[in-house]
Amino acid sequence: GRRRGVGRVTAWLDASTPQRMRTEIGNSEGEAGALLGEARSTAAALELQAEAVAALAPLAARLARDEEFGPRAIECFAQVEAVPSLATPMADRIVKLEQELERQRRLTAERLAFGNATSALEAAIVQAQELLGFPVDTVDTPEIIHRLRELGDKRASELLPPEGAEPPAIA
């Protein structure tokens, strides 16, 4: 039994416990991506181990009927027979990590858009301050001042904080 693959599967189970039992999803796009890669790799290795267990099952069943080897075969195979049932929790973890990675990517895009909108508003404010600080009667017409105010109002209305932003971050 043990020489026919149970030992390898058992060793893999022991070595992969930290990856299989991990629950964190990451706090950034990079962390979520790394955890997703690890989960996919673990799932692929798990699939190979499940195939090994399936290949061992007929031998274990045959040895279980043997008077000399039966108890030992049953004991050895019991250590690994649950391996195929580990696939569903790993698949669920992968789905959860894929969702988290997508969420982190969306947050990154929102933060970038917020940063760009903040810069655009800042530029409009600087332009208005320059106009107020150094008005030129022949250039700074009421129409230009009105357009500048509309631009500032537009930029301010586009300024939506990213998901999860605390009030102090947007005040």
Side-chain angles (χ1 to χ4, degrees), residues 96-168:
K96 186 176 181 179
L97 286 166
E98 287 171 340
Q99 292 169 343
E100 179 60 19
L101 180 59
E102 184 57 38
R103 187 181 84 82
Q104 290 292 342
R105 287 180 174 157
R106 189 184 76 250
L107 288 175
T108 298
E110 287 176 8
R111 287 181 193 113
L112 178 62
F114 182 71
N116 289 341
T118 302
S119 295
L121 176 60
E122 181 182 18
I125 291 170
V126 167
Q127 189 177 2
Q129 287 173 332
E130 288 176 356
L131 186 129
L132 292 173
F134 305 102
V136 178
D137 293 340
T138 58
V139 176
D140 301 325
T141 64
E143 292 81 27
I144 290 189
I145 294 170
H146 180 72
R147 273 191 305 204
L148 188 56
R149 177 165 181 173
E150 284 179 343
L151 177 63
D153 289 346
K154 180 179 181 282
R155 297 285 189 234
S157 70
E158 293 171 347
L159 200 57
L160 298 174
E163 179 184 314
E166 296 293 325

Side-chain angles (χ1 to χ4, degrees), residues 43-60:
L46 175 59
E47 186 176 327
L48 295 175
Q49 298 307 316
E51 290 172 8
V53 169
L56 288 169
L59 177 62

Side-chain angles (χ1 to χ4, degrees), residues 9-23:
V9 175
T10 303
W12 179 84
L13 279 171
D14 291 343
S16 67
T17 297
Q19 293 82 18
R20 289 183 298 105
M21 302 305 289
R22 199 174 313 281
T23 58

